[in-house]
Amino acid sequence: MDTKLKKIQVQAQEQGIDLETLPHHLAIIMDGNGRWAKKKGWQRLLGHREGYKALRGALLNASDLGIKYLTVYAFSAENWRRPSEEVEGLMSLIEKATREELRIMHTNNVRLNFSGRIEELPAGLRDALETGMEMTANNTGIVFTLAVNYGGRAEIVDAVKDLIAAEFDPEDITEELISAHLYNPHQPDPDLMIRTAGEMRWSNFLLFQGAYCELWVTQDPWPEFSKQHLLAAVKEFQRRTRKFGAVV
Ligand code: FPP
């Protein structure tokens, strides 16, 4: 490591984190915005707005720490079942955030990416995501993937449809082939998944890719997610022995 360590990298080292063995791909289930708002007597959408602020911090911290891929669950394929006011509020918040953060993402060499059934999203949000991806396509820093209208099962269904349309022989179907037909085939599988707000569930997020990822759950709701949570999760990740089904 050179002398130009970022502040968070120095803090990480002080806490015993090895910067050479960070998770390559961090996935986050940002849960608890609604409960956080309710506790304050606020509307749920205000919780999502605070969640946006927490996400800005998490992206820049993950980037400064040296993590190469960050994927966040911003809207699941099942979230359409929420009241229409909340769905519309979330769609416009994600669009607004994508547009507002584009300059800062670009300045920080972030490459914006997307995962999910984008064709079913409102035109304005689709445009914001496509514009952002185009603008940051040549950036070489952290790849930041927004999972919007994303479902792990739907992703596998879409991959199977592609394989059938391409008339693959069943004998040729392998895990690698399925993996190559997922939404982001060039990304490494997530190796650490953080979930906030205490639920011990996977919630249909990166089902195929996350088969061996380490889970780290905090009781704190997403709007309270801080640099300390990120460092604690990475520290715990490095403490675990990853066996991939073998004996180590
Ligand atoms: C879960 O909290 C959170 C979501 C369904 C949406 C996540 C959205 C954000 C963090 C807002 C900003 C996103 C972007 C991309 C700018 P919940 O509503 O399920 O909370 P609850 O379980 O307490 O009800």
Side-chain angles (χ1 to χ4, degrees):
M1 281 289 154
D2 58 25
T3 48
K4 287 186 291 177
L5 285 185
K6 306 263 188 189
K7 194 169 157 209
I8 190 171
Q9 292 179 311
V10 174
Q11 287 168 327
Q13 285 184 328
E14 283 167 1
Q15 294 183 26
I17 290 170
D18 176 8
L19 297 178
E20 304 292 341
T21 56
L22 295 172
H24 293 287
H25 186 166
L26 170 64
I28 309 184
I29 300 178
M30 309 180 289
D31 197 15
N33 295 342
R35 276 165 282 172
W36 180 87
K38 193 174 169 203
K39 220 169 156 184
K40 290 184 168 299
W42 294 358
Q43 287 181 359
R44 292 176 55 82
L45 268 174
L46 291 175
H48 296 312
R49 204 162 298 167
E50 283 303 305
Y52 160 27
K53 291 186 198 159
L55 178 55
R56 178 192 290 145
L59 169 60
L60 296 178
N61 282 327
S63 165
D64 283 353
L65 185 58
I67 288 172
K68 302 289 180 223
Y69 295 85
L70 172 66
T71 301
V72 299
Y73 212 176
F75 191 90
S76 80
E78 290 71 38
N79 285 152
W80 298 106
R81 296 179 194 146
R82 295 188 174 206
S84 59
E85 192 188 322
E86 183 169 345
V87 169
E88 281 160 27
L90 269 169
M91 290 293 151
S92 50
L93 178 64
I94 298 169
E95 177 183 342
K96 182 168 163 272
T98 306
R99 293 192 195 281
E100 273 177 8
E101 300 303 311
L102 201 48
R103 204 168 44 85
I104 191 162
M105 285 195 273
H106 199 35
T107 314
N108 282 278
N109 201 19
V110 174
R111 181 168 174 187
L112 179 66
N113 186 38
F114 172 81
S115 190
R117 288 181 175 163
I118 196 168
E119 67 281 2
E120 294 172 0
L121 294 177
L125 175 52
R126 241 172 27 228
D127 175 69
L129 291 165
E130 280 162 356
T131 307
M133 286 190 283
E134 221 167 275
M135 182 172 166
T136 62
N138 294 322
N139 289 348
T140 55
I142 192 168
V143 177
F144 174 48
T145 303
L146 279 176
V148 191
N149 192 24
Y150 174 87
R153 288 183 174 181
E155 181 178 31
I156 295 169
V157 168
D158 289 350
V160 170
K161 283 184 181 169
D162 279 357
L163 295 174
I164 291 173
E167 298 183 359
F168 274 96
D169 188 324
E171 291 301 315
D172 295 333
I173 307 286
T174 59
E175 291 182 12
E176 290 71 26
L177 190 68
I178 294 176
S179 182
H181 286 79
L182 298 176
Y183 295 143
N184 286 294
H186 303 299
Q187 294 196 2
D189 288 344
D191 35 16
L192 173 62
M193 189 178 290
I194 291 177
R195 182 168 188 144
T196 56
E199 310 286 358
M200 297 290 186
R201 273 196 296 275
W202 202 356
S203 298
N204 204 17
F205 192 36
L206 302 173
L207 285 188
F208 194 89
Q209 307 89 323
Y212 286 105
C213 79
E214 296 291 329
L215 299 175
W216 187 87
V217 176
T218 171
Q219 295 300 317
D220 298 332
W222 177 249
E224 291 175 8
F225 191 82
S226 69
K227 179 160 64 175
Q228 275 323 311
H229 291 95
L230 176 65
L231 293 178
V234 170
K235 184 151 190 213
E236 170 66 16
F237 169 81
Q238 292 188 336
R239 210 186 53 76
R240 295 191 195 164
T241 310
R242 305 187 71 213
K243 299 199 288 193
F244 300 98
V247 176
V248 179

